[in-house]
Amino acid sequence: MGILAVFALPLLLLGISGIIHIYQTVMWLVSKSAVQNKVVVITDAISGLGKECSRVFHAGGARLVLCGRTWEKLEALHDGFISGRPQCVHWLKTGHMGSTYTPKLILLDVSDLNCIQDVAKEILNCYGCVDILINNASMKMKGAVQSISLELDKKIMDANYFGPITLTKALLPNMISRKTGQIVLINSIQGKIGVPFRAAYAASKHAAEGFFDCLRAEMEEFDICVSTVSPTFICSYHHQAAPGNWEASIWKFFFRKVAYGVHPVEVAEEVLRTVSRKKQEVLIANPIPRAAVYIRTFFPELFFAIVASGIREKLKTEEE
């Protein structure tokens, strides 16, 4: 019996791994087929996450409209798709392009609110409709509240809140008239919890979260799905705090883990799954940042105590 158990366990694990792999492959193919021939608009397609979203939706046979602030970078991304070597971190899991459409390119700076209406008309002229809008454009900002000017606060709000909602409102009538469509907001975990020294950024993400939550309920009667995808930091930042009391230790463990973030490839593939399954809200985070959201919701005093302690330790370290 002992010998049989020794051989049976690896075989059982191998079998389970095979089943999981087959399931993931099938779901991946289903996700790709769900966007075939769909008109997909991606803002800030030239960013790391934008490129990866473009890759996975292009692989699924979507008709892409790629928006970005720099024409040269848009052309480089376009040329990569045409040559079969897109400027992305990874390429298709299947290793081939399949049946795809040539992406259309449109200049768009979402922080320039005056141009968005005209750009929306240009987007609609590409194929006559929009099936999926992915609001990916965003601007980051780090600094103490007193060091950030009100002008910069407004600039962050334009890029992260007013820009996405203005574009959404401009394209929404087309979806409503057809009674179909999906709007995806690539938001952030900071739309749920505030991280110190990112007040302007967190405020803009909280505002966007609130707007799209309301929009989701209002669009239900028109069969328009509104989805919010909130990853942790896509880029890794490292917070420094001196060792000291237990609160400072929790601070280091808590926020350094939150700050490690996720890879753009992981987020892009989750966006594709979100679209294909019409998920309403997705949080892409490891257990520690998920715990942060939970603690902020149910134990706010503990959360604020940890944050305040971390700030004190940070200031003390800087003085020393």
Side-chain angles (χ1 to χ4, degrees):
M1 290 295 293
I3 297 176
L4 289 176
V6 168
F7 286 102
L9 182 59
L11 289 175
L12 179 61
L13 294 175
L14 182 62
I16 293 173
S17 300
I19 292 172
I20 292 174
H21 177 72
I22 292 171
Y23 173 78
Q24 290 177 337
T25 302
V26 170
M27 295 308 298
W28 172 254
L29 294 174
V30 169
S31 297
K32 287 172 61 178
S33 64
V35 300
Q36 189 171 7
N37 300 323
K38 299 290 186 180
V39 178
V40 180
V41 179
I42 302 175
T43 63
D44 196 17
I46 58 179
S47 66
L49 177 55
K51 289 178 182 178
E52 293 302 331
C53 285
S54 302
R55 172 185 66 83
V56 296
F57 280 91
H58 185 258
R63 293 180 286 180
L64 291 181
V65 181
L66 305 179
C67 305
R69 292 185 299 174
T70 307
W71 186 255
E72 290 75 14
K73 292 182 179 180
L74 281 173
E75 284 188 322
L77 181 61
H78 174 274
D79 293 343
F81 283 123
I82 297 303
S83 66
R85 297 185 301 274
Q87 306 300 309
C88 305
V89 178
H90 294 284
W91 183 225
L92 303 180
K93 290 183 176 180
T94 56
H96 60 80
M97 290 182 63
S99 176
T100 56
Y101 296 89
T102 301
K104 296 185 181 295
L105 310 178
I106 291 182
L107 276 175
L108 171 63
D109 180 358
V110 294
S111 63
D112 185 0
L113 304 182
N114 295 324
C115 77
I116 290 181
Q117 292 293 336
D118 291 334
V119 172
K121 293 177 182 178
E122 191 177 349
I123 289 172
L124 290 172
N125 287 336
C126 290
Y127 292 105
C129 68
V130 172
D131 295 306
I132 301 163
L133 168 62
I134 300 177
N135 286 299
N136 172 58
S138 182
M139 179 182 292
K140 295 181 180 179
M141 174 56 58
K142 180 181 179 181
V145 170
Q146 66 272 21
S147 67
I148 305 297
S149 67
L150 186 59
E151 181 181 359
L152 194 51
D153 283 331
K154 291 179 179 178
K155 187 175 181 180
I156 295 294
M157 287 297 293
D158 283 344
N160 296 352
Y161 175 69
F162 286 110
I165 74 167
T166 302
L167 180 61
T168 297
K169 286 186 173 185
L171 297 176
L172 203 54
N174 178 267
M175 293 184 178
I176 291 175
S177 66
R178 297 166 57 233
K179 290 195 173 182
T180 184
Q182 187 165 3
I183 300 166
V184 180
L185 171 68
I186 309 296
N187 208 35
S188 168
I189 194 172
Q190 292 190 59
K192 299 180 179 296
I193 58 173
V195 177
F197 303 106
R198 290 174 175 81
Y201 180 77
S204 67
K205 293 300 183 179
H206 272 72
E209 182 97 4
F211 177 89
F212 283 92
D213 280 354
C214 295
L215 181 66
R216 178 179 300 113
E218 294 182 25
M219 290 298 106
E220 186 175 351
E221 64 175 304
F222 302 109
D223 291 328
I224 296 171
C225 179
V226 177
S227 305
T228 303
V229 178
S230 300
T232 54
F233 297 90
I234 293 178
C235 296
S236 294
Y237 296 93
H238 299 284
H239 301 272
Q240 298 294 331
N245 57 31
W246 67 272
E247 290 177 323
S249 299
I250 294 176
W251 161 268
K252 288 196 297 179
F253 179 74
F254 191 71
F255 279 103
R256 285 177 66 96
K257 288 291 185 181
V258 169
Y260 284 147
V262 291
H263 198 281
V265 173
E266 182 182 351
V267 179
E269 292 179 353
E270 183 55 50
V271 171
L272 178 62
R273 286 190 291 269
T274 297
V275 168
S276 65
R277 302 177 195 177
K278 295 189 180 298
K279 297 180 181 179
Q280 294 183 335
E281 187 175 42
V282 176
L283 176 62
I284 308 176
N286 292 323
I288 297 301
R290 284 183 181 274
V293 175
Y294 176 85
I295 294 171
R296 170 63 182 86
T297 302
F298 296 102
F299 305 99
E301 292 184 0
L302 174 60
F303 180 86
F304 295 138
I306 294 172
V307 172
S309 174
I311 296 295
R312 288 194 299 269
E313 290 296 328
K314 183 178 188 301
L315 295 176
K316 180 179 177 181
T317 302
E318 290 176 350
E319 289 176 358
E320 291 175 351

